[in-house]
Amino acid sequence: MKEYDFVVIGSGIAGLSFALKAAKHGSVAVITKRKGADTNTAWAQGGIACVTSDEDTFALHMRDTLEAGAGLCDEAAVRTIITEGPQRIRELVDLGLHFDERDVSGHREFDLGREGGHSKRRVLHVQDVTGKEIEETLLRQLARQSHVDLLENHMAVDLITAGKLGFAAEDRCLGAYVLDEKNSEVETIRSDRIVLATGGCGKVYLYTTNPDIATGDGVAMAWRAGAVIANMEFIQFHPTCLFHSKAKSFLISEAVRGEGGILRNNLGEDFMKRYDPRGSLAPRDIVARAIDEEIKRLGAQCVFLDITHQSPEFIKERFPNIYETCLRFGIDMSKQPIPVVPAAHYQCGGIKTDVNGATSLPGLYAIGEVACTGLHGANRLASNSLLEGLVVAHRACEAMTRDIAVLRKARKVSLPEWESGDVQDVDELVVIYHNWDEIRRLMWDYVGIVRTDKRLQRASARLRNLQQEIHDFYWNFKVSVDLLELRNLATVAAVIVDSALSRKESRGLHFTLDYPETNDRRFRHDTLLGRG
Ligand code: SIN
């Protein structure tokens, strides 16, 4: 059995910035399914929303966030995260991250981007590869830490809790079983502080802007461990994912609309003006629903994002990654509009935490997209998530290290090793792939941008059968990454459907034809699932 003071599961902005700070206080393991940089963070294009300019204020950033959140944000959490943002940004700069700058009357200032729902330019970015630069900066720093083991190609199977060991009265998280993919062995890792930073669950949908790792592992494990899960019906669909038969999950950043890009339907019409006075830069829920409606109304396959009014020089300098990628698919965005469709992008709910990352299960913390701090409410404001990851990671480390001396002295329960019995290797991989496809398609068709009770109930019934099948597989065959991801995906899909069925109104990202109005009297509260 291995033992660490801190175990972080996930290596995106939240997990790595936590690990760097925790390493000053004790031993740290960072467990990550593939390579360190295989994270949602590395794919983030837009940037980090933060008040840094004289023309902006915390009050305005708060107002925009609360407005997007459609009545469900936790105002205190919003204030904390927004006001502590600038300190965390300074730390990133000190670690060597160079945000884009521009000359203003002889001095350098951040070159701030604009995105939907923001009343001011406030998005710090590095061209259109902000996440990749952040990830590389943090991984470079991590490599210098002697107290940190970065365990790549390791996937957490499940959390070990006192409750599961028969001490329900003193339930807490005690460690995790972790699959080492190299030798297919499951290790037992002990820690009093387990931090889930596993990101979101975009892969639960057929079309997503997320990388393959986004299989909802953290929410699924926390759910099985009995922690409270909140607001999982609020899945954000990004309006503009590249539409091309060979392109997989490629995002066209909202910053393109921030620089004047206009959405047009297949008749060339600037249709967004008919849906919202803010046009193409309205908040994402509104834009995604409008695109969905236009596509259905016109029997089209996609809509188009037109930024041809900008010069080719500007486009290549500001969006080099998007420009090059589109060009590889035969689209020159400086000369022609980009075909786009909405796709699942961000999980606004997650494991319920306070603003220090503490969950309802002692010893278990959650930070980043996997957590629901109350910042996003029913709809996340663009580029608020990297900020949340940074601020909450810092606060979680502060909170955990306050009592570390006391905790180190606490009685240690010895943990049972993983038992794999006489299970065999999975004999029919086809079943795993079939179930993956079935879950992703049914979620897209029945639990997508526009919902109804009938579709949700159909999804729920089908998911119960799939979960039973996967459960049998889990107990009868050797665990593998594919099987574990499938099990997590099915769990998270069922949690999303249960949450959506319980909200009999439309609000933010949850829109149902059966209850098209918002009902503040009955539903202005979080959707909470789990034992608590
Ligand atoms: C984007 O660049 O459009 C994504 C930004 C975000 O989702 O916060």
Side-chain angles (χ1 to χ4, degrees):
M1 187 175 76
K2 290 181 179 161
E3 181 155 1
Y4 293 91
D5 290 315
F6 307 88
V7 168
V8 187
I9 305 177
S11 55
I13 187 169
L16 293 184
S17 47
F18 174 86
L20 283 173
K21 291 181 180 222
K24 299 193 179 100
H25 303 271
S27 59
V28 185
V30 178
I31 292 166
T32 190
K33 276 200 292 194
R34 313 244 156 104
K35 289 274 172 223
D38 288 329
T39 61
N40 260 345
T41 296
W43 281 33
Q45 295 180 0
I48 309 189
C50 186
V51 176
T52 57
S53 118
D54 292 344
E55 281 157 37
D56 198 3
T57 64
F58 292 136
L60 283 176
H61 191 181
M62 280 186 67
R63 191 196 66 189
D64 296 343
T65 301
L66 295 171
E67 202 175 304
L72 284 200
C73 298
D74 175 334
E75 196 168 328
V78 172
R79 178 173 298 105
T80 301
I81 292 168
I82 285 175
T83 55
E84 293 184 10
Q87 291 155 264
R88 305 286 83 81
I89 293 290
R90 273 194 292 279
E91 286 170 2
L92 261 189
V93 171
D94 290 344
L95 291 181
L97 189 74
H98 298 290
F99 289 110
D100 285 2
E101 294 180 342
R102 62 190 181 119
D103 259 330
V104 180
S105 333
H107 70 278
R108 302 294 285 168
E109 278 187 2
F110 288 129
D111 175 37
L112 299 172
R114 180 157 199 181
E115 292 180 15
H118 288 277
S119 56
K120 294 281 173 196
R121 282 190 172 266
R122 63 168 71 99
V123 182
L124 293 112
H125 61 93
V126 184
Q127 294 178 308
D128 58 356
V129 286
T130 314
K132 181 169 167 287
E133 294 293 322
I134 292 174
E135 192 68 32
E136 283 171 5
T137 304
L138 294 176
L139 280 171
R140 246 193 328 271
Q141 292 295 330
L142 201 80
R144 298 193 183 140
Q145 306 296 322
S146 52
H147 280 73
V148 183
D149 286 346
L150 175 63
L151 304 176
E152 295 182 315
N153 300 307
H154 280 65
M155 176 167 180
V157 178
D158 252 328
L159 300 170
I160 306 171
T161 64
K164 286 187 196 167
L165 299 182
F167 307 103
E170 296 172 68
D171 205 7
R172 63 169 290 118
C173 194
L174 300 168
Y177 291 119
V178 175
L179 172 68
D180 178 351
E181 229 198 316
K182 264 197 319 297
N183 55 22
S184 300
E185 294 295 328
V186 177
E187 297 172 350
T188 307
I189 301 190
R190 168 128 187 49
S191 179
D192 285 321
R193 286 155 291 269
I194 299 275
V195 182
L196 293 173
T198 48
C201 67
K203 291 301 277 189
V204 90
Y205 285 95
L206 188 57
Y207 302 112
T208 176
T209 62
N210 291 180
D212 288 345
I213 50 97
T215 52
D217 304 331
V219 167
M221 282 190 290
W223 167 253
R224 290 192 290 269
V228 172
I229 310 293
N231 293 352
M232 285 296 289
E233 66 274 38
F234 298 115
I235 299 292
Q236 186 170 71
F237 290 83
H238 196 293
T240 59
C241 183
L242 177 62
F243 177 74
H244 188 281
S245 58
K246 297 218 166 63
K248 193 179 156 209
S249 309
F250 187 71
L251 177 73
I252 307 296
S253 175
E254 193 153 309
V256 175
R257 278 173 288 140
E259 298 299 346
I262 300 287
L263 284 163
R264 300 189 188 282
N265 61 22
N266 55 347
L267 306 176
E269 295 165 347
D270 173 0
F271 62 90
M272 272 311 302
K273 285 276 160 45
R274 277 192 272 113
Y275 292 88
D276 192 284
R278 288 164 288 189
S280 293
L281 258 194
R284 284 184 188 169
D285 55 332
I286 297 169
V287 182
R289 270 198 300 280
I291 296 177
D292 190 60
E293 203 170 315
E294 286 294 298
I295 286 177
K296 287 186 176 134
R297 186 175 74 81
L298 296 168
Q301 287 191 300
C302 62
V303 294
F304 297 88
L305 180 55
D306 186 355
I307 190 166
T308 52
H309 69 282
Q310 291 280 13
S311 71
E313 293 69 37
F314 173 82
I315 290 173
K316 287 178 207 170
E317 170 63 25
R318 177 67 178 85
F319 303 114
N321 177 36
I322 299 176
Y323 177 78
E324 286 300 330
T325 306
C326 286
L327 211 54
R328 275 208 304 280
F329 293 109
I331 303 155
D332 181 343
M333 67 190 272
S334 67
K335 298 202 177 91
Q336 67 193 107
I338 311 167
V340 290
V341 281
H345 182 62
Y346 196 86
Q347 163 194 306
C348 292
I351 306 162
K352 177 93 182 133
T353 68
D354 63 13
V355 80
N356 300 328
T359 72
S360 62
L361 184 65
L364 182 67
Y365 300 81
I367 54 179
E369 184 172 353
V370 73
C372 180
T373 60
L375 174 69
H376 309 311
N379 183 21
R380 179 184 65 109
L381 189 66
S383 292
N384 264 358
S385 38
L386 295 177
L387 181 74
E388 181 188 45
L390 278 179
V391 172
V392 181
H394 172 85
R395 295 180 66 90
C397 186
E398 297 262 288
M400 275 182 235
T401 48
R402 250 175 247 140
D403 60 357
I404 194 156
V406 183
L407 273 171
R408 279 216 185 99
K409 286 198 197 114
R411 180 172 61 94
K412 300 277 188 264
V413 186
S414 78
L415 303 182
E417 293 295 330
W418 175 263
E419 277 185 42
S420 51
D422 53 4
V423 292
Q424 312 145 22
D425 285 325
V426 173
D427 56 353
E428 290 200 66
L429 273 178
V430 66
V431 180
I432 293 189
Y433 298 133
H434 177 88
N435 286 354
W436 256 86
D437 290 346
E438 188 169 347
I439 292 171
R440 299 183 65 205
R441 183 166 287 283
L442 82 84
M443 289 299 286
W444 185 259
D445 289 342
Y446 298 153
V447 199
I449 297 172
V450 176
R451 300 163 178 178
T452 66
D453 272 355
K454 200 164 153 198
R455 288 181 209 162
L456 291 175
Q457 273 148 8
R458 197 166 283 169
S460 172
R462 192 62 203 114
L463 282 167
R464 301 289 159 219
N465 288 340
L466 283 163
Q467 277 188 292
Q468 188 53 51
E469 230 169 73
I470 294 163
H471 180 80
D472 294 346
F473 245 74
Y474 178 74
W475 287 107
N476 292 320
F477 294 100
K478 246 189 177 163
V479 291
S480 64
V481 169
D482 285 342
L483 179 53
L484 294 174
E485 288 187 336
L486 173 66
R487 175 176 178 243
N488 292 339
L489 216 59
T491 303
V492 171
V495 169
I496 294 171
V497 173
D498 287 350
S499 305
L501 273 168
S502 72
R503 185 170 287 282
K504 307 280 187 216
E505 64 156 359
S506 292
R507 180 188 295 273
L509 299 161
H510 174 68
F511 182 78
T512 161
L513 294 173
D514 293 322
Y515 313 97
E517 304 299 328
T518 300
N519 183 342
D520 273 344
R521 196 176 53 78
R522 288 191 56 208
F523 292 105
R524 192 167 177 177
H525 56 75
D526 289 342
T527 304
L528 301 178
L529 300 181
R531 287 204 301 271

